[in-house]
Amino acid sequence: MICRVVKRPIDMSVLVNDVSGDDIGGVCTFVGLVRNHSRGQKVTHLEYHAYPEMSEKKMRQVIEEIMERYGVDHIAVEHRIGTLQVGEIAVGIAASSAHRDAAFKACRYAIDRIKQIVPIWKKEFGDDGAVWVEECPVDAEGA
């Protein structure tokens, strides 16, 4: 189980390596990127803010839920904080299991649940200024 809030760029090959092993039949990844628009407005860059210790504690909770729900023992999650430019990775998730289905479900559940309960705040910057974004809660049960 790996969960980190980082200030450096996320390297997905490291996360994949973290969850790989001889007992693994499939690795599934999710990469969340900074896009150039949101809610009909242009986005030039983002700032993510967090209290890393609390955010990582909640990420561990998400991973424990995944382990119990899907039987996935190998999962790595990193969320970046600081200033991110369009195209950069904001969140990276890698999950692995003996069979692909559990790994796919684990990744989907992880991103939905992270957005739901992990205290990481996003500020979007665009031509019209900056705005704090409040994520809409998602139904991770349906993931």
Side-chain angles (χ1 to χ4, degrees):
M1 172 191 319
I2 294 168
C3 51
R4 295 183 279 249
V5 172
V6 298
K7 293 182 179 179
R8 58 163 171 71
I10 295 171
D11 184 341
M12 289 304 297
S13 65
V14 170
L15 294 182
V16 168
N17 189 59
D18 287 341
V19 301
S20 296
D22 293 342
D23 60 332
I24 300 305
V27 176
C28 183
T29 61
F30 173 80
V31 178
L33 302 172
V34 176
R35 64 179 177 264
N36 67 358
H37 66 282
S38 180
R39 296 176 317 281
Q41 301 294 316
K42 180 180 177 183
V43 172
T44 58
H45 64 283
L46 301 177
E47 280 183 6
Y48 282 99
H49 299 265
Y51 177 55
E53 291 81 4
M54 176 57 77
S55 297
E56 289 172 356
K57 179 179 178 182
K58 296 303 274 185
M59 283 181 189
R60 279 191 295 280
Q61 176 186 330
V62 171
I63 291 173
E64 288 168 1
E65 291 172 9
I66 289 167
M67 293 168 78
E68 181 178 322
R69 184 176 289 237
Y70 301 112
V72 172
D73 291 326
H74 307 287
I75 186 160
V77 178
E78 287 188 346
H79 201 299
R80 190 162 167 203
I81 57 173
T83 302
L84 281 75
Q85 301 302 316
V86 170
E88 290 190 291
I89 299 174
V91 61
I93 300 168
S96 65
S97 62
H99 304 284
R100 67 181 175 269
D101 189 50
F104 277 110
K105 288 178 179 176
C107 272
R108 176 62 185 259
Y109 185 90
I111 190 58
D112 288 345
R113 192 76 169 131
I114 286 167
K115 286 183 159 280
Q116 187 179 51
I117 70 166
V118 176
I120 296 176
W121 301 277
K122 177 169 65 173
K123 192 174 190 180
E124 293 177 344
F125 291 81
D127 294 337
D128 296 334
V131 61
W132 286 100
V133 177
E134 184 174 330
E135 294 290 346
C136 297
V138 295
D139 178 12
E141 298 300 316

